């Protein structure tokens, strides 16, 4: 497999992942971003933990979808993430979840 073939394969996988995201985003109410992953979820709980002079975040998500091109099953019933880095959680309004029918992402 040439470098060009590999690049085309990766591009096709990323496009398929984006299309999947576009198809499922309306099913979820929250966006969660960590330093390693992007999630869609319907329930999110973030707990700040500390011990031994360190502080970390424990994020629990129910009914989630994981943005990961290499993951064969992206829907998960429950996910738990522990991180020492920032966590961003946004609750999305339904109007924010819809793509314009005639916009650049239509199709």
């Amino acid at each position: 497999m040439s470098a060009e073939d590999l690049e085309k394969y990766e591009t096709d996988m990323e496009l398929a992942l984006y299309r999947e995201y576009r198809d499922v985003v309306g099913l979820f109410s929250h966006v969660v971003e960590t330093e390693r992953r992007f999630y869609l979820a319907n329930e999110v709980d973030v707990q700040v933990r500390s011990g031994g002079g360190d502080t970390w975040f424990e994020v629990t998500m129910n009914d989630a979808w994981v943005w990961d091109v290499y993951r064969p099953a992206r829907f998960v019933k429950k996910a738990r993430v522990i991180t020492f880095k920032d966590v961003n959680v946004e609750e999305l309004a339904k109007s924010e979840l819809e793509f314009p029918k005639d916009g650049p992402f239509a199709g």
Side-chain angles (χ1 to χ4, degrees):
M1 177 178 269
S2 71
E4 186 177 301
D5 290 339
L6 182 57
E7 187 174 323
K8 183 180 179 335
Y9 173 77
E10 288 177 348
T11 300
D12 290 345
M13 292 292 293
E14 288 173 5
L15 182 58
L17 179 63
Y18 172 75
R19 287 180 176 151
E20 182 178 327
Y21 165 81
R22 184 188 63 199
D23 291 343
V24 302
V25 69
L27 302 173
F28 298 95
S29 59
H30 292 80
V31 171
V32 179
E33 292 178 89
T34 69
E35 80 277 5
R36 296 196 62 207
R37 297 274 191 285
F38 174 88
Y39 303 86
L40 298 171
N42 283 321
E43 292 181 32
V44 180
D45 180 50
V46 179
Q47 298 293 319
V48 179
R49 308 282 190 206
S50 60
D54 291 324
T55 300
W56 64 92
F57 301 96
E58 183 175 339
V59 183
T60 304
M61 295 168 275
N62 292 318
D63 187 23
W65 181 87
V66 184
W67 180 287
D68 186 344
V69 72
Y70 300 107
R71 186 181 176 101
R74 286 181 272 280
F75 287 96
V76 292
K77 185 175 181 176
K78 187 172 187 169
R80 181 173 165 241
V81 176
I82 297 174
T83 180
F84 288 90
K85 307 269 183 162
D86 290 341
V87 175
N88 182 42
V89 178
E90 295 180 33
E91 185 173 0
L92 299 176
K94 284 295 180 186
S95 62
E96 292 179 50
L97 300 176
E98 296 177 13
F99 287 98
K101 301 290 185 221
D102 59 347
F105 301 112

